[in-house]
Coordinates of all heavy atoms in Angstrom, one line a residue:
G27 N -4.2 17.3 29.1 CA -2.8 17.3 29.6 C -2.4 18.6 30.3 O -3.2 19.5 30.2
L28 N -1.3 18.6 30.9 CA -0.9 19.8 31.6 C -0.4 20.9 30.7 O -0.1 20.6 29.5 CB 0.3 19.3 32.6 CG 0.3 20.1 33.9 CD1 -1.0 20.1 34.7 CD2 1.4 19.4 34.8
M29 N -0.3 22.1 31.2 CA 0.2 23.2 30.5 C 1.6 22.8 29.9 O 2.4 22.3 30.6 CB 0.4 24.4 31.4 CG -0.8 25.0 32.0 SD -0.5 26.2 33.3 CE -0.6 25.2 34.7
G30 N 1.8 23.1 28.6 CA 3.0 22.7 28.0 C 3.1 21.3 27.4 O 4.1 21.0 26.8
A31 N 2.1 20.6 27.5 CA 2.1 19.2 27.0 C 2.0 19.2 25.5 O 2.4 18.2 24.8 CB 0.9 18.4 27.6
K33 N -1.0 20.3 23.7 CA -2.4 19.9 23.3 C -2.8 20.7 22.1 O -3.4 20.2 21.1 CB -3.4 20.2 24.5 CG -3.1 19.4 25.7 CD -3.9 19.9 26.9 CE -3.5 21.3 27.2 NZ -3.1 21.7 28.5
T34 N -2.5 22.0 22.1 CA -2.9 22.8 21.0 C -2.2 22.5 19.7 O -2.8 22.3 18.6 CB -2.8 24.3 21.3 OG1 -3.5 24.6 22.5 CG2 -3.4 25.2 20.2
D50 N -9.8 25.1 20.3 CA -9.1 25.2 21.6 C -10.0 25.8 22.6 O -10.6 26.9 22.4 CB -7.8 26.0 21.4 CG -7.0 26.2 22.6 OD1 -7.5 26.9 23.6 OD2 -5.9 25.6 22.7
S51 N -10.3 25.1 23.7 CA -11.3 25.6 24.7 C -10.9 26.9 25.2 O -11.8 27.8 25.5 CB -11.6 24.5 25.8 OG -10.5 24.4 26.6
D52 N -9.6 27.2 25.5 CA -9.2 28.5 26.0 C -9.5 29.6 25.0 O -10.0 30.7 25.5 CB -7.7 28.5 26.3 CG -7.3 27.8 27.6 OD1 -8.2 27.6 28.5 OD2 -6.2 27.4 27.8
I55 N -13.2 30.3 25.4 CA -13.5 31.0 26.6 C -13.1 32.5 26.4 O -13.9 33.4 26.8 CB -12.6 30.4 27.8 CG1 -13.2 29.0 28.1 CG2 -12.7 31.3 29.0 CD1 -12.3 28.2 29.0
I63 N -7.4 35.0 29.2 CA -7.4 34.1 30.4 C -6.8 34.8 31.6 O -7.4 34.8 32.6 CB -6.7 32.7 30.1 CG1 -7.2 32.0 28.9 CG2 -6.6 31.8 31.3 CD1 -8.5 31.3 29.0
P64 N -5.6 35.5 31.4 CA -5.1 36.2 32.6 C -6.0 37.3 33.1 O -6.2 37.4 34.3 CB -3.8 36.8 32.1 CG -3.4 36.0 30.9 CD -4.6 35.5 30.3
F67 N -8.8 35.5 35.2 CA -8.3 35.1 36.5 C -8.2 36.4 37.4 O -8.6 36.4 38.5 CB -6.9 34.5 36.4 CG -7.0 33.0 36.3 CD1 -7.4 32.4 35.1 CD2 -6.6 32.1 37.3 CE1 -7.4 31.0 34.9 CE2 -6.6 30.8 37.2 CZ -7.0 30.2 36.0
E72 N -10.2 32.3 39.9 CA -10.2 31.0 39.3 C -11.6 30.3 39.3 O -11.9 29.6 38.4 CB -9.1 30.1 40.0 CG -9.0 28.7 39.2 CD -7.9 27.8 39.7 OE1 -7.1 28.3 40.5 OE2 -7.9 26.7 39.3
F75 N -13.6 31.4 36.5 CA -13.0 30.9 35.3 C -13.4 29.5 35.1 O -13.8 29.0 34.0 CB -11.5 31.0 35.3 CG -10.8 30.3 34.2 CD1 -10.7 30.8 32.9 CD2 -10.2 29.0 34.5 CE1 -10.1 30.0 31.9 CE2 -9.6 28.3 33.5 CZ -9.5 28.8 32.2
R76 N -13.4 28.7 36.1 CA -13.7 27.2 36.0 C -15.2 27.0 35.6 O -15.5 26.1 34.9 CB -13.5 26.5 37.3 CG -12.0 26.4 37.7 CD -11.1 25.7 36.8 NE -9.7 25.8 37.1 CZ -8.7 25.6 36.2 NH1 -9.0 25.3 35.0 NH2 -7.5 25.7 36.6
E79 N -15.4 27.8 32.0 CA -14.7 26.8 31.3 C -15.7 25.6 31.1 O -15.8 25.0 30.0 CB -13.5 26.4 32.1 CG -12.6 25.3 31.4 CD -11.3 25.0 32.2 OE1 -11.4 24.8 33.4 OE2 -10.3 25.1 31.6
S95 N -8.9 20.8 22.0 CA -7.8 20.8 23.0 C -8.4 21.5 24.2 O -8.9 22.6 24.1 CB -6.5 21.4 22.5 OG -6.6 22.7 22.5
L96 N -8.2 20.9 25.4 CA -8.7 21.5 26.7 C -7.6 22.2 27.4 O -6.5 21.8 27.4 CB -9.2 20.4 27.6 CG -10.4 19.5 27.2 CD1 -10.8 18.6 28.4 CD2 -11.6 20.3 26.7
G97 N -8.0 23.3 28.1 CA -7.1 23.9 29.1 C -6.7 22.8 30.1 O -7.5 21.9 30.4
G98 N -5.5 23.0 30.7 CA -5.0 21.9 31.6 C -5.8 21.5 32.8 O -5.8 20.4 33.3
G99 N -6.7 22.5 33.3 CA -7.5 22.2 34.5 C -8.8 21.6 34.2 O -9.5 21.1 35.1
A100 N -9.2 21.6 32.9 CA -10.6 21.3 32.6 C -11.1 19.9 32.9 O -12.2 19.7 33.4 CB -10.9 21.6 31.1
M102 N -10.3 18.2 35.3 CA -10.4 17.9 36.7 C -11.9 18.0 37.2 O -12.2 17.6 38.3 CB -9.5 18.9 37.5 CG -8.1 18.8 37.2 SD -7.4 17.1 37.5 CE -7.5 17.0 39.3
V130 N 6.7 25.6 28.9 CA 6.0 26.8 29.5 C 6.9 28.0 29.6 O 6.4 29.1 29.6 CB 5.2 26.4 30.8 CG1 4.2 25.4 30.6 CG2 6.2 26.0 31.9
K133 N 6.7 30.2 26.7 CA 5.5 31.0 26.5 C 4.9 31.4 27.9 O 4.1 30.7 28.5 CB 4.5 30.2 25.7 CG 3.4 31.0 25.1 CD 2.4 30.2 24.3 CE 1.1 30.8 24.3 NZ 0.0 29.8 24.3
G135 N 3.0 33.8 31.0 CA 1.7 34.5 31.0 C 0.6 33.6 31.6 O -0.5 34.0 31.7
R136 N 0.9 32.3 31.9 CA -0.1 31.5 32.5 C -0.4 31.8 33.9 O 0.6 31.8 34.7 CB 0.2 30.0 32.3 CG 0.1 29.5 30.9 CD 0.8 28.2 30.7 NE 0.4 27.5 29.5 CZ 1.2 27.3 28.5 NH1 2.4 27.8 28.5 NH2 0.8 26.6 27.4
P137 N -1.6 32.2 34.3 CA -1.8 32.7 35.6 C -1.4 31.8 36.7 O -0.9 32.3 37.7 CB -3.4 32.9 35.7 CG -3.8 32.9 34.3 CD -2.8 32.2 33.4
L138 N -1.6 30.5 36.6 CA -1.2 29.6 37.7 C 0.3 29.5 37.9 O 0.7 29.0 38.9 CB -1.8 28.2 37.4 CG -3.3 28.0 37.4 CD1 -3.7 26.6 37.2 CD2 -3.9 28.5 38.7
L139 N 1.0 30.0 36.9 CA 2.5 29.9 37.1 C 3.2 31.2 37.4 O 4.4 31.3 37.3 CB 3.1 29.2 35.8 CG 2.6 27.9 35.4 CD1 3.2 27.3 34.2 CD2 2.8 26.9 36.6
L151 N 1.0 20.2 40.5 CA -0.1 20.0 39.6 C 0.0 18.6 39.0 O -1.1 17.9 38.8 CB -0.2 21.1 38.5 CG -0.6 22.5 38.9 CD1 -0.5 23.5 37.8 CD2 -2.1 22.5 39.4
R155 N -3.0 16.1 39.4 CA -3.8 15.8 38.2 C -3.5 14.5 37.4 O -4.5 14.0 36.8 CB -3.6 17.0 37.2 CG -4.2 18.3 37.7 CD -4.0 19.4 36.8 NE -4.6 20.7 37.2 CZ -4.5 21.8 36.5 NH1 -3.9 21.8 35.4 NH2 -5.1 22.9 37.0
Y159 N -6.0 12.5 35.1 CA -5.8 12.4 33.6 C -5.7 11.0 33.2 O -6.1 10.6 32.1 CB -4.5 13.1 33.2 CG -4.4 14.6 33.3 CD1 -3.1 15.2 33.2 CD2 -5.5 15.4 33.5 CE1 -3.0 16.6 33.3 CE2 -5.3 16.8 33.6 CZ -4.1 17.4 33.5 OH -3.9 18.7 33.6
Ligands
LIG1 C1 -4.8 26.0 33.2 C2 -4.3 25.8 31.9 C3 -4.4 26.8 30.8 C4 -5.6 27.7 31.0 C5 -5.5 28.3 32.4 C6 -5.6 27.3 33.5 C7 -4.7 25.0 34.2 O1 -4.5 26.2 29.6 O2 -6.8 27.0 30.8 O3 -4.4 29.1 32.5 O4 -5.4 25.0 35.2 O5 -3.8 24.1 34.0 P1 -3.2 25.4 28.9 O6 -3.2 24.0 29.5 O7 -3.7 25.3 27.4 O8 -2.0 26.2 29.1

Side-chain angles (χ1 to χ4, degrees):
L28 213 52
M29 295 171 266
K33 297 167 300 231
T34 305
D50 178 288
S51 70
D52 282 341
I55 292 167
I63 304 283
F67 268 74
E72 184 173 352
F75 168 76
R76 296 295 173 203
E79 180 176 56
S95 77
L96 296 188
M102 298 305 288
V130 297
K133 197 179 152 212
R136 286 165 164 112
L138 294 181
L139 302 179
L151 287 172
R155 292 180 177 179
Y159 291 169

